[in-house]
Amino acid sequence: MTETPAAPKRSAIDRFLNIVESGGNALPHPATLFAILALVVIVLSWITSQLGLSVQHPTTGETITPVNLLSVAGLHRILTGLVTNFTSFAPLGTVLVSLIGIGVAEHSGLIGAALRQLVLAAPRFLLTPVMVFAGVMSNMASEIGYVLLVPLAGLVFLAANRHPILGMAAAFAGVSGGYSANLLLGTIDPLLAGLSQEAAQIIDPAYTVSPAANWYFMIVSTFLVTGLGWWVTERVVARRFPDAPKEDADGGIEPMTREERRGLLFALVASAVLTALVLWGTVPADGFLRNPEDGDLLNSPFLQGIVALIFAYGVVAGVAYGIGAGTIRSDQDVIKGMGQSMSTLGVYLVLVFFAAQFVAFFNWTQLGLIFAVNGAGVLAQLQLPGIVLFAAFILLTACANLFMGSASAKWALMAPVFIPMFMLLGYSPELTQIGYRIGDSVTNIVSPMMSYFALIIAFLQRYEPKAGIGTVVAVMLPYSITFLIGWTILFSIWMAIGAPIGPGSPLQYIPAG
């Protein structure tokens, strides 16, 4: 008689994450939960307004008080804003436009063929670090990572006979958890630098902060996040999502046909032509895709229109592949592909509707501003030494990120408090900005306030229909904790060494004269 093999022993971490997932998924459907939270915000706005809660805005000195939505004026605002809250929700247009273009590439067979070729050509053990690294690099243009890379990572892992959620988790960790790591500068760098400069000029009116102020630290952080993400994926998350029980990892992947190879060649040529056009508009100093006023690339139509480029690449490459492979024979096939991609978004649109109301209501009440300012004030009064103070600052930012998703909005509030305080203690604004960026990044992946959180839930539900907020939090929490610890250690070592964190960006602030 054959004995039944004993079930593998689960570690304490596995048991804890299972409790987190079960508890989170015991909550109502995410759409229902967002609707409930929107109602809670309305009631909370009334309670806090009755209590007379208020704070002083650190920049303007204006008194910030809760806005009561449980009033006639609040009711009017809810009624008139219900539609625009939904239609103006930032990720909605990005997702719809991107998926129309991607739908052509998917319907023509381009994505499936390209992924099979990738899996057949790439060593299986490198898929995870490649996905994390690609996620980190994609956050230079933010939306492309959430909209394109995360679902593609699931398909890549599925083609390699690994659990698709494992691939999506790795990519999401890089895109969102590694938001402040990159080998290149992105649009967020000049935005944060401008806010830091304004705050620094409270103490030193002549002080300037470069958009490249954190570049050296970001480069090192790219490899740190990639390594940590790789380790968490394989050592922690993979235990909860084991591979398919197949003896041959590539056994389920069919070889490329002659038509598919021709289609890939056509798609490659078409993409190369489009890329050459993009380079023509971005490489020259007076390129037509640069900022027409000063030739800047960071604040240019190129980066601002990255979603339109995703659409263009999807349509051009998809049509080219379809012509070469014989899967597209008329314009009707193209339109059909676009329509099919839209038909999969029904649940997501419902999710977005209620999530948009919750986020809008929370912003209207000003409760996020009040929580952030109060938290900053508490930390400012602790008067902790050096590394401990910055570690507390990173932790505070990470917690504040659970309530306010916008990196620039939080920094606009926190910079005028912490940059002057740290400057008076001898620390440069650039160093303070790094601490903020670490805290702002590590909890993105577990914060329902993050704009693309609902989209990630929808992606996971393709493979786990019962997945909800608890699933996402349980899957991503190990990344969040590991990134927080690892990044804080790197920050502490950097402080101890005293190396510059960017071009012309020292750690210490020395007053002029």
Side-chain angles (χ1 to χ4, degrees):
M1 183 176 179
T2 305
E3 296 184 359
T4 303
K9 186 177 180 181
R10 292 183 175 180
S11 66
I13 294 177
D14 293 330
R15 292 194 296 270
F16 169 72
L17 293 177
N18 285 335
I19 293 173
V20 171
E21 179 176 3
S22 299
N25 288 343
L27 297 171
H29 188 280
T32 305
L33 184 59
F34 279 122
I36 293 173
L37 289 174
L39 295 176
V40 169
V41 167
I42 293 174
V43 175
L44 190 60
S45 71
W46 175 79
I47 294 174
T48 52
S49 64
Q50 296 300 309
L51 293 175
L53 188 67
S54 66
V55 295
Q56 296 295 123
H57 195 290
T59 303
T60 65
E62 177 186 359
T63 300
I64 303 171
T65 57
V67 175
N68 180 15
L69 295 182
L70 201 61
S71 62
V72 173
L75 176 61
H76 291 174
R77 190 170 188 179
I78 292 172
L79 290 175
T80 58
L82 200 69
V83 174
T84 54
N85 291 343
F86 175 54
T87 57
S88 62
F89 193 58
L92 181 61
T94 296
V95 172
L96 295 179
V97 173
S98 299
L99 287 185
I100 289 176
I102 295 170
V104 177
E106 184 175 4
H107 179 70
S108 68
L110 170 60
I111 292 180
L115 289 176
R116 292 214 323 276
Q117 181 65 28
L118 172 64
V119 173
L120 289 169
R124 189 170 184 261
F125 76 96
L126 287 179
L127 286 179
T128 299
V130 165
M131 288 304 166
V132 179
F133 178 78
V136 172
M137 293 303 297
S138 74
N139 64 43
M140 185 183 70
S142 63
E143 291 88 356
I144 190 174
Y146 297 107
V147 176
L148 181 61
L149 183 63
V150 173
L152 285 187
L155 293 175
V156 168
F157 270 58
L158 186 63
N161 293 326
R162 302 204 66 184
H163 202 294
I165 289 183
L166 200 61
M168 289 192 289
F172 185 36
V175 174
S176 198
Y179 188 64
S180 288
N182 212 299
L183 300 182
L184 303 172
L185 300 179
T187 55
I188 191 65
D189 294 286
L191 179 58
L192 295 183
L195 295 171
S196 298
Q197 179 171 301
E198 291 182 3
Q201 290 177 352
I202 296 175
I203 300 297
D204 185 347
Y207 201 94
T208 59
V209 178
S210 166
N214 303 149
W215 195 16
Y216 298 160
F217 189 87
M218 288 168 56
I219 291 174
V220 176
S221 297
T222 300
F223 300 102
L224 173 73
V225 170
T226 300
L228 292 178
W230 186 4
W231 182 85
V232 172
T233 302
E234 299 297 346
R235 297 293 184 177
V236 181
V237 182
R239 296 179 180 177
R240 307 185 67 244
F241 299 97
D243 299 345
K246 295 183 179 180
E247 296 180 359
D248 185 359
D250 292 333
I253 305 178
E254 298 179 358
M256 305 294 293
T257 66
R258 180 180 179 182
E259 291 77 11
E260 287 174 329
R261 292 184 183 279
R262 184 172 62 245
L264 287 176
L265 178 60
F266 279 33
L268 181 62
V269 172
S271 298
V273 172
L274 183 56
T275 299
L277 184 62
V278 171
L279 292 175
W280 181 28
T282 55
V283 173
D286 59 348
F288 60 88
L289 290 179
R290 287 178 172 267
N291 189 317
E293 296 181 359
D294 55 10
D296 186 25
L297 190 60
L298 291 177
N299 297 296
S300 65
F302 168 68
L303 288 181
Q304 294 172 359
I306 196 69
V307 175
L309 289 175
I310 296 173
F311 169 82
Y313 270 100
V315 172
V316 170
V319 170
Y321 174 88
I323 293 173
T327 57
I328 289 182
R329 302 183 184 277
S330 70
D331 62 311
Q332 293 184 4
D333 294 325
V334 177
I335 302 302
K336 184 178 179 180
M338 293 179 176
Q340 285 183 346
S341 67
M342 292 293 99
S343 66
T344 63
L345 291 177
V347 175
Y348 172 66
L349 293 177
V350 176
L351 257 176
V352 165
F353 174 78
F354 289 107
Q357 307 310 323
F358 165 61
V359 172
F361 293 174
F362 194 74
N363 290 335
W364 290 350
T365 61
Q366 299 195 105
L367 291 177
L369 303 180
I370 293 172
F371 293 158
V373 173
N374 278 332
V378 170
L379 185 56
Q381 294 175 4
L382 293 179
Q383 298 183 351
L384 298 173
I387 294 175
V388 177
L389 180 61
F390 272 101
F393 173 57
I394 292 172
L395 184 60
L396 172 67
T397 305
C399 293
N401 194 41
L402 297 174
F403 298 98
M404 293 183 66
S406 172
S408 58
K410 284 194 305 293
W411 193 225
L413 286 165
M414 298 177 72
V417 174
F418 290 103
I419 282 185
M421 180 185 72
F422 286 136
M423 288 177 72
L424 293 174
L425 294 175
Y427 300 106
S428 70
E430 293 86 349
L431 183 65
T432 307
Q433 181 176 285
I434 277 288
Y436 169 77
R437 298 185 70 171
I438 293 173
D440 177 66
S441 296
V442 297
T443 51
N444 278 335
I445 47 182
V446 294
S447 173
M449 290 299 295
M450 197 271 293
S451 298
Y452 289 88
F453 198 83
L455 180 63
I456 301 302
I457 294 175
F459 285 152
L460 262 63
Q461 287 177 341
R462 294 180 181 179
Y463 308 102
E464 295 285 344
K466 296 182 179 180
I469 292 177
T471 304
V472 177
V473 173
V475 170
M476 304 310 301
L477 187 60
Y479 293 100
S480 187
I481 295 174
T482 304
F483 287 174
L484 175 62
I485 295 173
W487 232 336
T488 302
I489 291 174
L490 175 63
F491 182 88
S492 301
I493 294 174
W494 210 290
M495 284 188 65
I497 295 175
I501 52 179
S505 301
L507 274 65
Q508 290 78 32
Y509 166 69
I510 301 175

